[in-house]
Amino acid sequence: MSDNSTVLQLSPEDFSLSDYDNVRITLPEKPSISSEDVDAQLFGFVLSTGRSVNSIDDLDDEWVKGNFEGLSTIEDVRQAIVDDYERNLELEYSDMKYRACCDALVERLQGEVDEAVVASNVESMRQTNQARLEAMHMSFEQYLRDESMTPDQYEEKLAQETLYLLRLNMALDLLAPVLGIQVGNHEITEYLSSPNPQKFLEEIREKGQVEAARQAAVRVKTMRRVIDTAYVNGVIEGSASAHAGSKGSLGECPDEVPAPGPLPAPVIRNAHQCSASGSAGEDE
């Protein structure tokens, strides 16, 4: 990860929020899967195996046992299809909810982002992306080909997404104290994690980055609160804050709320999987 300790940052004194209440978003109703849809998927799988059947009724339990490990009957297969559909639907819905809440927060932010700050952060993001590509042994040219982008399109997208993230982070920074959200040292790895949490904590202590890590954790905790308490189509859905969408590709708005400064590369934990691990000293 590139050293971006000199990256220009926004000042909270230059910004405010137009509203500090629960966000209100509109999402499409979740579609349900019909028995006809299930049978169509099952029939498609049968054809992909090279077997010729006139209808699903031609399949028996022996065929299921020979083609699906752990399943015994046609009804088992149908239920597995339904479960897989609902699981994927919930992931997509969580992703839509997360992004709608982010958009709602960004829209509330009042104040202009200085172009010099944007340019400084764009350069930092460019360096970070390059480091990721090198870690994956992928050239920038290959990445552009995979994404079907020109260099100019990449730069435009990078600038747009950097501005978006700057505004989102500032909105979260302004909202957190109003909601009374704090993160103690022992909670940091509940929101920021790495393959080796203890090593991550040791590294941020050694580099004097505990406060930067705490700020990043506060942003994550605040975002979860926003999602949990959001009015969706007029009602609060309850606790479903975990954003389980797929990780964005290079240059995309990342699913995690990014940390400021040259922190070790943390991964934002799924809220349903988080558990405090390790300690970074005593709470403040």
Side-chain angles (χ1 to χ4, degrees), residues 201-212:
L201 290 171
E202 292 172 357
E203 187 174 348
I204 63 175
R205 284 198 297 266
E206 291 173 358
K207 294 184 177 181
Q209 297 172 341
V210 172
E211 290 310 311

Side-chain angles (χ1 to χ4, degrees), residues 115-135:
E115 291 183 2
V117 176
V118 176
S120 178
N121 280 268
V122 165
E123 178 57 29
S124 175
M125 185 65 74
R126 186 184 294 111
Q127 294 177 14
T128 298
N129 287 349
Q130 183 60 42
R132 290 175 179 170
L133 287 174
E134 291 174 358

Side-chain angles (χ1 to χ4, degrees), residues 27 43 51 56 71 81 105 219 256 261 271-272:
L27 295 179
F43 196 74
R51 176 168 177 172
I56 297 300
L71 302 180
I81 292 173
L105 286 179
R219 287 172 177 171
E256 69 269 17
H272 294 311

Side-chain angles (χ1 to χ4, degrees), residues 16-26 96-110 164 167-168 171-172 175 223 226-227 230-231:
S16 63
L17 295 178
S18 61
D19 189 354
Y20 291 85
D21 202 356
N22 306 50
V23 300
R24 294 177 178 271
I25 61 176
T26 300
M96 286 191 295
K97 184 177 181 182
Y98 169 81
R99 295 189 179 276
C101 287
C102 288
D103 290 344
L105 286 179
V106 170
E107 289 174 3
R108 291 181 177 188
L109 188 68
Q110 298 178 321
Y164 183 92
R167 293 181 63 82
L168 174 60
L172 292 169
L175 187 59
M223 192 70 235
V226 169
I227 295 171
Y231 282 93

Side-chain angles (χ1 to χ4, degrees), residues 190-251:
E190 182 176 345
Y191 300 99
L192 302 179
S193 184
S194 71
N196 189 329
Q198 188 59 39
K199 183 178 180 181
F200 171 74
L201 290 171
E202 292 172 357
E203 187 174 348
I204 63 175
R205 284 198 297 266
E206 291 173 358
K207 294 184 177 181
Q209 297 172 341
V210 172
E211 290 310 311
R214 190 195 316 281
Q215 182 183 24
V218 167
R219 287 172 177 171
V220 175
K221 189 174 182 179
T222 303
M223 192 70 235
R224 290 182 183 175
R225 175 79 65 84
V226 169
I227 295 171
D228 278 344
T229 60
Y231 282 93
V232 181
N233 301 333
V235 299
I236 297 178
E237 294 184 318
S239 181
S241 66
H243 170 54
S246 59
K247 293 300 179 184
S249 59
L250 289 173

Side-chain angles (χ1 to χ4, degrees), residues 5 9 28 33 43 45 59 63 69 76 80 104 109-110 112 127-128 137 152-153 178 195 211 219 249 251 271 275:
S5 56
Q9 301 297 329
I33 185 170
F43 196 74
F45 174 80
L59 303 176
W63 175 83
E69 183 177 355
D76 289 342
L109 188 68
Q110 298 178 321
E112 295 298 322
Q127 294 177 14
T128 298
H137 305 288
D152 288 343
Q153 290 172 330
V178 175
E211 290 310 311
R219 287 172 177 171
S249 59
S275 60

